[in-house]
Amino acid sequence: MPSIGSRAAADLKRAARDPVLLAVILLVTGSLLIFVVYPLVSVGAASLDTGGGKLGLKVYADVAKSAYIRKAFWNSLMMSSLTALIGSLLGFIFAFAVARAKVPFSKFFNMIAIIPIVSPPFIGALAIIMLFGNNGLITWNLLRIQNFPVYGFNGLLLAQVVTFFPVSYLTLKGVLESMNPILEDAALDLGGTRWKVFMRVTLPLAFPGIASSILLLFVETLADFGNPLILAGSKFPILSVQAYLEIVGMYDLPKGAAISILLLVPSLIAFYLQRWLVSRRKYTTVTGKPQQSTTQIVSPGARVALFAVCAFVALIVALIYFSIIVGAFAKVWGFDHRPTLDHFKFVFGVGFKAVRDTLVIAGTATPFAGLLGMVIAYLVVRVRFPGRRFVESVSMLSFAVPGTVIGIGYILAFNHKPFALTGTLAILLLNFIFRYIPVGIESGKAILSSIDPSIEEAAINLGADARKTFSRVTLPMILPAFFSGLVFAFVRGMTAVSAAIFLVSSRWNLMTVHIMAQVESGNLGAAAAYSLILVLIVAVAISLIRIVLKVQYRKFGGSMLHF
Amino acid sequence: MSVKLLNITKEFIDLEREGGKLIAVKDFNLEIEEGEFVTLLGPSGCGKTTTLRMIAGFETPSAGDIFIGDKNVSADPPNKRDTSMVFQSYAIFPHMSVEQNVGFGLELRGKPKAEIAMEVRRIMDAMGIGELARRRPDQLSGGQQQRVALARAIVNRPSVLLFDEPLSNLDAKLREQMRVEIRRIQQTYKITSVYVTHDQAEAMTVSDRIVVMNRGRIMQVGTPFEIYSRPENQFVADFIGRVNLLPVTVEKLSDQGCEAVDAQGQRLEAASAASGIAVGRKAFLMVRPESLSVEKDVGANEAGTGNASGAAKGHSAISSIGATEAPHAIERMLFARGVIEKSVYLGSTVEYEINASLDRPVLAVSHDPVDVGFWRPGDSVALRYNPRAAHLFLR
Ligand SMILES: Nc1ncnc2c1ncn2[C@@H]1O[C@H](COP(=O)(O)OP(=O)(O)O)[C@@H](O)[C@H]1O
Ligand SMILES: [Mg+2]
């Protein structure tokens, strides 16, 4: 049996036969090291810096002594757990109602659940301030309550559930749709009532998916920055915001770094637990493809209940977007609701630089992130080279690492030579590119591993080199993955806050950061107008990407390009 | 228990055409006796599964009524009907062990644990899967899954067992083994069974009666013998095995059989006739390939009624090893004359395609070729048949 070393050498030799491929492998591995691993190492190093270049746990001891930060830690864990549980419950109800119970208005509910995903993640917080804040439409204008306790636990929980339940919805919809309905038929046939069938068959089969959704939501909520910055308030500290305040407010880099490590650890644990759960894939159907079944698996009463829950959630989501739209056109929200275009004049005047900057940054980072995602997926699935597992796990890391941690890592890593990038366009671009590749990689990997490699081998056999094979054969085949990779990168680029807020400067600023600033200074109208423009840009861009890919690869048709 | 389907019709919304309707089953009438094994046989899409799912309660008929025993169950949901189904994909619950799967129905019925364990054990031993009790479904082979699905259906002692193409996911050898097994189990427990398949050999093996379906309608109901040898129409004759059809006009009907003439005015006899056959009607005379004997064409001037012994002498023209005259001369009739177009030697049989100037080549199978010898392409032959093996149905 050959040793690991000699096998690696053989792999390397094989890879070296195609110099382009070898160059790509080196480039990808090297840049992942610099732009993903190095910043994280910098955070770790900074948190261990006890001053004077000595390493130690002094900073952690200080952090542990601070009752306020301890509180923030527990608040964050509690908030993330609650959001994960409630969000997954709502996500499951939504998914079950749409995918299995086929309640009326399923298409509408599906849309309602998709909208928050393509919106800036703090839009819920913004709308909640507009509805329930000091000058809130509901609390003040309707109910005449002053100082309604919207800041802190209640408001934040509501905002995060609304923001993140769609993630759970999409995950669980996939799970429920791939479940073989014949299994429920069989249980019904054996004499189970619908309720028993649900409890004994549907729910246990969906359980790995539900657990996975809970963990995913936990990770996302823990990393969330926009909602807590707006809504948490000083009495309900949240870790991600505390890390930011330590660095931007107190200039205490080591302490900020230590707090972000506190944030990172539970994230990583939950993330790898989720990965492990998904990789077990225990309950795939043993034989046969999912078949269609017309059996009505929910009772009329349950259908009504499901519909009621969906309608209620839809109402809240609709209310959020309604208040954003109205707010964008109202003179002074809460006091003077006469229509005006003032806020848009502001956005397209003084504030337009941020719009332009955001478009440049997201627009430039998107194709790079999309392509890089496909290249990595291809390398990981199709090419054998030493370090393959490393590339695979590191490129997925940004799913698990909270943006706050990455942002702090970037300012620590790239403010001195050889990478003095602070305040430049490059630091934002690099951050976006390496942060927003995972969706493309995941879907690319899924498609590639289902395609017989002999198709590519045939191309190589006909004389195509690695680059030609990739661009002419592989890329067209994984087009749907490329599409979702591009859409994800663009949406996330447009709506990014948590890492980006550390990296913006007066030269390069972002709409999201501007919106946060407007909210903080109480200028809700401008914030709403900005948000509206942002959502519109994202919607237009998704359609554009779809059209461009359709024209480019006409024969693959539009049916594959579903979002 | 007996099962009765009365005037069942099932319409689906057509997914292809806007506002269109798709009639999956039309005017379906069938009575199944207690303990009987009935097979629904027909090409893919003819409505077999839909019919079965209506009996199980997964689909509601658009019109008509279903009785199980004396009870009209048309409005009952599947869990209120005493039926158990074996699904094409087995539908084994992947999150339960084999014994949990088998015992699930009893558990849903609220049987005490000890009794469930005993029943499960007994049925699994009877099915030869006793040692699989603790396995997970993904550790089972196709055949084992099939047995688990069967055990799970039978352990409830249902009034009616339903099978939807249960063997289609198995390889050929296992399929043959399992269909014998299914028949044996059904006979042991005497459970009324409805079985769906598109495989005619499978249908012939397991069934008491076969229902041949086409485009949602019943084409014929009968025993395997009736379906094969006494088809009611061309669809059934063609669907069940290979067949030779000669267009004829009916001339005479009697207790002994029927007489007819073909286009050349040649007289032919058949022992049986389908419903609707009357003097003067246009019909097909059917003879299965294995009932045709290929004999030397002694001359075009030969009379319609062949001399049996003469023909028997002539048919071993090429090789006459061991050829003997038939001990009891049966009266064989001329079906057609023609020239051998193709001959395929299969060891135990030889299959011939003969050009007899009909719409399609005549097929003939002769057994034991070493004994009777075989023909080569180009040979002129006469095809003879025993009227007992011939059957008439309307064109
Ligand atoms: N749920 C359904 N919706 C619409 N059409 C259906 C549905 N189920 C079956 N059909 C149609 O009904 C016809 C009969 O189907 P089926 O009973 O499955 O046939 P078989 O089992 O004999 O192959 C087919 O044309 C099929 O497309
Ligand atoms: Mg079928």
Side-chain angles (χ1 to χ4, degrees):
Chain A
M1 216 181 115
S3 73
I4 307 261
S6 75
R7 198 183 307 154
D11 286 348
L12 199 62
K13 217 186 266 167
R14 194 170 327 123
R17 276 203 301 251
D18 192 334
V20 179
L21 189 61
L22 184 65
V24 169
I25 290 172
L26 292 177
L27 199 66
V28 166
T29 315
S31 47
L32 285 176
L33 273 173
I34 297 172
F35 298 110
V36 180
V37 178
Y38 175 48
L40 287 180
V41 172
S42 303
V43 178
S47 71
L48 295 172
D49 186 358
T50 57
K54 270 190 285 208
L55 294 182
L57 292 174
K58 183 177 166 299
V59 184
Y60 286 101
D62 289 349
V63 166
K65 254 186 266 163
S66 158
Y68 196 62
I69 291 177
R70 279 211 307 273
K71 198 170 154 199
F73 182 72
W74 294 119
N75 281 349
S76 288
L77 287 190
M78 180 186 63
M79 187 51 81
S80 308
S81 310
L82 276 178
T83 307
L85 291 174
I86 300 172
S88 293
L89 179 67
L90 282 185
F92 183 81
I93 292 175
F94 244 71
F96 190 76
V98 169
R100 303 313 299 279
K102 308 245 157 60
V103 296
F105 301 108
S106 284
K107 283 225 170 80
F108 170 73
F109 289 137
N110 184 59
M111 201 184 71
I112 281 287
I114 299 276
I115 294 175
I117 292 185
V118 297
S119 308
F122 48 79
I123 220 161
L126 172 56
I128 282 168
I129 298 267
M130 296 172 85
L131 292 168
F132 304 106
N134 290 342
N135 306 320
L137 189 68
I138 293 178
T139 43
W140 173 241
N141 295 74
L142 279 175
L143 304 172
R144 295 286 154 190
I145 306 171
Q146 232 157 10
N147 297 326
F148 180 78
V150 66
Y151 294 95
F153 178 80
N154 297 325
L156 185 55
L157 184 63
L158 178 59
Q160 293 191 319
V161 166
V162 169
T163 308
F164 294 116
F165 92 90
V167 176
S168 161
Y169 163 74
L170 282 188
T171 315
L172 293 174
K173 186 166 160 251
V175 169
L176 289 175
E177 274 170 352
S178 65
M179 194 185 289
N180 195 340
I182 295 292
L183 291 173
E184 286 155 344
D185 281 1
L188 212 56
D189 188 56
L190 289 172
T193 59
R194 285 172 178 142
W195 175 246
K196 275 219 168 115
V197 171
F198 177 78
M199 292 305 286
R200 294 295 313 275
V201 176
T202 316
L203 206 54
L205 287 175
F207 183 75
I210 295 172
S212 162
S213 145
I214 290 176
L215 290 166
L216 209 62
L217 253 58
F218 178 84
V219 172
E220 294 232 11
T221 318
L222 201 58
D224 189 27
F225 177 78
N227 286 313
L229 186 67
I230 296 175
L231 276 175
S234 57
K235 293 209 194 78
F236 193 77
I238 287 288
L239 269 188
S240 57
V241 176
Q242 287 315 307
Y244 168 74
L245 293 178
E246 284 301 333
I247 286 174
V248 175
M250 311 290 195
Y251 301 103
D252 191 340
L253 277 172
K255 199 168 173 194
I259 296 175
S260 61
I261 295 286
L262 281 188
L263 191 61
L264 180 63
V265 172
S267 269
L268 285 181
I269 293 173
F271 178 74
Y272 283 106
L273 212 58
Q274 192 263 352
R275 292 264 106 182
W276 174 75
L277 208 62
V278 170
S279 71
R280 285 202 311 164
R281 290 205 310 170
K282 212 164 93 205
Y283 298 154
T284 47
T285 318
V286 186
T287 38
K289 30 200 166 346
Q291 283 152 318
Q292 61 163 6
S293 167
T294 43
T295 321
Q296 197 50 261
I297 56 155
V298 282
S299 62
R303 254 162 77 88
V304 171
L306 285 170
F307 180 79
V309 174
C310 289
F312 179 70
V313 175
L315 186 73
I316 293 179
V317 174
L319 204 58
I320 285 174
Y321 285 86
F322 170 78
S323 58
I324 299 282
I325 293 171
V326 174
F329 291 98
K331 267 216 156 86
V332 182
W333 180 261
F335 294 106
D336 183 351
H337 289 154
R338 276 177 300 162
T340 174
L341 288 176
D342 285 355
H343 305 307
F344 289 96
K345 282 196 194 115
F346 172 78
V347 172
F348 287 104
V350 186
F352 192 65
K353 184 180 172 323
V355 180
R356 215 182 44 214
D357 285 358
T358 308
L359 276 176
V360 169
I361 294 164
T364 315
T366 297
F368 283 106
L371 218 53
L372 181 61
M374 295 306 103
V375 169
I376 291 178
Y378 176 77
L379 291 182
V380 165
V381 177
R382 288 287 199 256
V383 186
R384 299 196 44 196
F385 60 97
R388 191 171 61 113
R389 309 251 3 196
F390 169 83
V391 167
E392 183 170 17
S393 53
V394 166
S395 58
M396 297 308 296
L397 212 53
S398 60
F399 258 157
V401 179
T404 311
V405 183
I406 284 277
I408 294 174
Y410 266 56
I411 53 171
L412 287 167
F414 303 125
N415 68 348
H416 50 72
K417 287 191 172 160
F419 305 107
L421 299 174
T422 318
T424 62
L425 172 62
I427 197 168
L428 281 159
L429 284 181
L430 288 165
N431 179 264
F432 281 22
I433 291 170
F434 286 93
R435 247 173 93 59
Y436 301 137
I437 48 177
V439 163
I441 296 179
E442 280 292 84
S443 22
K445 264 164 50 181
I447 296 188
L448 273 179
S449 26
S450 70
I451 296 175
D452 189 343
S454 61
I455 295 180
E456 284 147 18
E457 282 160 13
I460 296 169
N461 192 251
L462 291 170
D465 59 11
R467 190 171 49 85
K468 264 245 164 60
T469 307
F470 181 75
S471 67
R472 295 293 304 279
V473 180
T474 314
L475 201 53
M477 287 192 301
I478 54 176
L479 204 61
F482 188 45
F483 174 72
S484 37
L486 287 178
V487 168
F488 177 79
F490 189 77
V491 171
R492 285 305 177 93
M494 289 297 295
T495 58
V497 200
S498 56
I501 203 162
F502 292 96
L503 307 176
V504 293
S505 58
S506 54
R507 275 189 290 159
W508 292 99
N509 212 331
L510 290 172
M511 290 172 81
T512 49
V513 179
H514 259 245
I515 300 173
M516 307 289 293
Q518 301 299 336
V519 176
E520 225 149 305
S521 56
N523 193 354
L524 298 180
Y530 258 127
S531 304
L532 205 56
I533 299 288
L534 206 161
V535 173
L536 283 181
I537 292 176
V538 169
V540 170
I542 293 177
S543 322
L544 268 180
I545 296 174
R546 191 196 300 263
I547 290 167
V548 168
L549 286 190
K550 233 198 250 183
V551 172
Q552 202 75 14
Y553 296 99
R554 196 182 301 274
K555 58 178 167 295
F556 293 95
S559 60
M560 294 163 82
L561 302 179
H562 282 307
F563 177 58
Chain B
M1 246 186 263
S2 67
V3 177
K4 198 155 71 180
L5 292 103
L6 272 182
N7 275 318
I8 297 291
T9 293
K10 177 69 186 178
E11 291 173 349
F12 285 114
I13 296 161
D14 194 341
L15 303 170
E16 320 267 286
R17 287 178 302 136
E18 188 76 29
K21 283 227 177 88
L22 195 151
I23 299 171
V25 177
K26 180 80 181 160
D27 300 331
F28 196 100
N29 280 295
L30 182 66
E31 280 190 45
I32 302 169
E33 283 165 35
E34 164 130 36
E36 198 181 13
F37 197 121
V38 167
T39 298
L40 308 183
L41 175 67
S44 176
C46 72
K48 309 180 294 290
T49 298
T50 306
T51 308
L52 200 70
R53 287 173 63 83
M54 284 191 289
I55 301 176
F58 294 123
E59 308 280 2
T60 322
S62 314
D65 285 301
I66 297 174
F67 291 84
I68 295 180
D70 297 327
K71 185 166 176 270
N72 187 341
V73 296
S74 307
D76 293 355
N79 50 347
K80 297 275 161 57
R81 298 189 190 190
D82 197 10
T83 60
S84 274
M85 186 138 162
V86 178
F87 293 84
Q88 184 170 12
S89 55
Y90 315 138
I92 293 175
F93 305 118
H95 59 298
M96 298 179 191
S97 70
V98 165
E99 61 185 349
Q100 284 170 326
N101 260 285
V102 175
F104 191 55
L106 296 175
E107 193 194 315
L108 289 171
R109 268 151 226 218
K111 288 266 160 61
K113 275 214 164 68
E115 190 181 323
I116 295 177
M118 215 175 64
E119 282 289 310
V120 166
R121 180 115 299 266
R122 188 157 53 196
I123 198 87
M124 293 200 2
D125 285 340
M127 299 281 311
I129 48 172
E131 73 284 7
L132 301 178
R134 315 248 149 180
R135 293 261 190 103
R136 296 248 140 223
D138 55 5
Q139 302 167 321
L140 301 179
S141 70
Q144 290 170 333
Q145 288 182 43
Q146 170 68 68
R147 280 164 207 266
V148 172
L150 196 52
R152 186 179 70 183
I154 288 172
V155 77
N156 296 328
R157 297 293 158 85
S159 313
V160 186
L161 258 180
L162 305 170
F163 299 86
D164 188 4
E165 311 229 4
L167 305 181
S168 59
N169 285 330
L170 302 179
D171 61 53
K173 196 155 176 201
L174 209 52
R175 205 150 53 210
E176 276 176 35
Q177 200 182 321
M178 280 308 294
R179 65 192 188 204
V180 177
E181 186 89 336
I182 286 178
R183 178 65 177 171
R184 182 182 68 79
I185 302 254
Q186 190 266 347
Q187 291 285 298
T188 315
Y189 295 94
K190 297 263 184 283
I191 306 173
T192 311
S193 299
V194 186
Y195 188 101
V196 160
T197 182
H198 64 266
D199 180 335
Q200 50 120 345
E202 206 170 296
M204 304 282 283
T205 323
V206 295
S207 323
D208 293 320
R209 279 194 300 158
I210 297 175
V211 178
V212 182
M213 294 177 66
N214 187 30
R215 300 189 183 184
R217 288 170 190 274
I218 293 183
M219 302 311 286
Q220 185 172 354
V221 183
T223 63
F225 173 80
E226 288 166 343
I227 295 290
Y228 187 79
S229 303
R230 307 280 184 259
E232 282 286 317
N233 49 50
Q234 188 179 358
F235 178 83
V236 176
D238 268 331
F239 192 77
I240 319 289
R242 294 172 304 171
V243 73
N244 297 303
L245 299 177
L246 198 64
V248 294
T249 308
V250 181
E251 280 225 315
K252 201 172 123 196
L253 293 175
S254 71
D255 289 349
Q256 279 72 44
C258 328
E259 286 179 22
V261 287
D262 71 2
Q264 282 79 44
Q266 179 181 226
R267 209 175 60 79
L268 298 107
E269 284 176 25
S272 64
S275 56
I277 289 287
V279 173
R281 297 295 302 264
K282 292 192 184 327
F284 276 123
L285 181 120
M286 175 199 98
V287 181
R288 296 277 180 193
E290 66 275 13
S291 301
L292 276 182
S293 60
V294 186
E295 300 171 2
K296 183 179 173 133
D297 194 358
V298 287
N301 56 354
E302 185 189 7
T305 14
N307 178 296
S309 57
K313 254 179 223 145
H315 83 270
S316 51
I318 291 162
S319 153
S320 55
I321 328 163
T324 48
E325 268 180 42
H328 304 289
I330 11 153
E331 196 178 345
R332 286 179 175 279
M333 299 202 74
L334 183 71
F335 183 77
R337 292 199 166 78
V339 178
I340 301 277
E341 216 152 58
K342 212 161 101 190
S343 103
V344 181
Y345 176 69
L346 294 171
S348 66
T349 58
V350 187
E351 301 192 357
Y352 297 109
E353 270 184 42
I354 298 115
N355 180 356
S357 315
L358 294 170
D359 280 350
R360 36 187 198 186
V362 175
L363 306 172
V365 175
S366 69
H367 293 267
D368 198 359
V370 177
D371 185 10
V372 300
F374 43 91
W375 303 90
R376 300 229 158 72
D379 290 342
S380 290
V381 294
L383 300 159
R384 293 177 179 283
Y385 70 98
N386 180 339
R388 280 215 322 258
H391 174 73
L392 284 173
F393 55 78
L394 291 181
R395 250 194 277 172

